[in-house]
């Protein structure tokens, strides 16, 4: 496997897979790309700007997927657009609805890879948790996604499409401004967003565009496991809120549970937090801290956490996440009393430390539980199953379905 200059795994971004009819999918193009595409098909030059604006509005503000619906675009231009382009979402393989209202979408991209997206409704907001990669290279020991073997970066189009699909399912396009159900976005799904910086940046720019989906940067949070070289860029170039997966207050424990700590240790991560552009008391950095029984949850850990945040003078709050279990994990969630004590100690130190209520555990949609179904079985297992089915049917082996089991 190839490695990037900062040691991160690189991962090739696939080029857009062409539609069987050879038409280009315009979903996920940014303004400059859309402009070039529209100019390319022979729309008269003096119309191009207006057409870009119109198409952009229909695609990203109204959510249409047919050029016929673009009523203010002249018929001949609509026909030209339809001749060359499509507006196509990836396929939802399965949508699961939790008892608590959480929705999880398993999405299959054109090359057959899959990722998950989660919608979490709360009283005052609706948060969409978006994936940035298929799988994750970082192998944090407590995280289900980290056990996936297959990894690739998602394209900007595939990242934006997750939001489009959720809005389709939630019926949000009819009233895009007042009827908003996805009010916030967190880049907290599968993958390490800062290892896919360019695509994540491009996708979030599309999402924030004022003539399209119009989500404010204040309502977007990007979570990183601490990819130090890209943290400053994230603040400067994207300008969204930052969350950092801390999970331990000293290097030995952090290195044990998060191998990336060998590359960027606590001191480097916390220094990058202290320098994060745009962080101040009204816009604090969030530290995520999964409560792992007997690993990082002692009273001393809580006091050390306060000490660290003070030492680096961080405008920070802590989100305590009760560990979400998954099949085969070696960890247990801390006892409830201990989570409460930990939270109290941090609060007494003057730092906000709410305990995050687990959401969507019944459908394996909570933090750290995401892992697409096709990865749950090894290739050998899939091949064995395919052969068994073929034998039963007396036919040649064929592809096995990758739907959730
Ligand atoms: N890769 C990024 C984005 C994932 S965000 C990152 O690590 O920051 C999801 C959050 O859930 C992270 O803080 C992650 O560390 C945490 N997490 C992972 N597995 C978990 C689990 N099983 N229980 C609770 N939190 C978990
Ligand atoms: Fe990757 Fe984040 Fe999971 Fe670690 S916690 S394996 S960085 S998704």
């Amino acid at each position: 496997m190839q490695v990037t200059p900062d040691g991160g795994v690189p991962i090739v971004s696939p080029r857009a897979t062409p539609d069987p009819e050879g038409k280009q999918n315009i979903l996920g193009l940014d303004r400059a790309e859309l402009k070039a595409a529209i100019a390319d098909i022979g729309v008269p030059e003096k119309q191009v700007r207006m057409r870009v604006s119109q198409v952009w509005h229909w695609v990203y503000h109204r959510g249409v997927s047919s050029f016929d619906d673009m009523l203010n675009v002249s018929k001949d231009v609509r026909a030209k657009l339809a001749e060359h382009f499509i507006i196509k979402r990836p396929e939802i393989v399965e949508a699961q609805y939790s008892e608590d209202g959480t929705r999880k979408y398993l999405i299959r991209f054109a090359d057959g890879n899959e990722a998950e997206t989660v919608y979490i409704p709360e009283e005052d907001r609706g948060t969409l948790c978006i994936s940035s990669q298929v799988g994750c290279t970082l192998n944090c020991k407590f995280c289900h996604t980290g056990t996936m073997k297959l990894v690739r970066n998602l394209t900007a189009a595939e990242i934006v499409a997750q939001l489009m699909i959720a809005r389709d399912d939630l019926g949000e396009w009819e009233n895009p401004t007042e009827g908003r159900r996805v009010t916030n976005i967190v880049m907290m799904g599968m993958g390490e967003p800062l290892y896919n910086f360019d695509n994540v940046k491009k996708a979030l720019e599309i999402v924030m565009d004022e003539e399209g989906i119009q989500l404010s940067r204040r309502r977007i949070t990007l979570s990183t496991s601490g990819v130090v070289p890209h943290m400053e860029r994230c603040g400067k170039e994207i300008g969204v809120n930052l969350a950092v997966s801390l999970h331990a207050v000293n290097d030995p424990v952090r290195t044990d549970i998060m191998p990336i700590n060998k590359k960027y240790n606590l001191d480097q991560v916390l220094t990058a937090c202290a320098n994060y552009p745009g962080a101040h008391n009204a816009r604090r950095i969030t530290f995520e801290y999964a409560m792992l029984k007997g690993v990082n949850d002692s009273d001393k850990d809580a006091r050390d956490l306060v000490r660290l945040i003070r030492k680096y003078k961080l405008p920070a709050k802590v989100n305590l996440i009760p560990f979400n279990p998954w099949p085969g994990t070696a960890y247990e969630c801390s006892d409830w009393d201990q989570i409460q004590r930990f939270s109290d100690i941090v609060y007494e130190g003057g730092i906000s430390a709410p305990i995050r209520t687990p959401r969507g555990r019944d459908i394996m949609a909570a933090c750290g539980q995401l892992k697409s179904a096709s990865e749950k079985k090894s290739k050998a297992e899939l091949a064995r199953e395919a052969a068994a089915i073929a034998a039963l049917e007396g036919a040649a082996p064929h592809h096995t379905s990758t739907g959730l089991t």
Side-chain angles (χ1 to χ4, degrees), residues 52 62-63 73 85-86 207 214 291 334 338:
V52 169
R62 304 293 294 275
V73 178
F85 304 132
I86 47 166
V207 163
Q214 299 173 339
M291 298 298 293
S334 308
Q338 188 52 31

Side-chain angles (χ1 to χ4, degrees), residues 142-143 187-189 191-193 223-225 245 247 288 290 321-324 326 367-368:
F142 48 83
C143 175
M187 294 303 300
M188 293 190 182
E192 168 49 61
S223 175
T224 179
S225 56
S245 296
H247 304 312
E288 293 156 288
I321 316 177
F323 169 68
N324 294 307
W326 38 272
C367 299

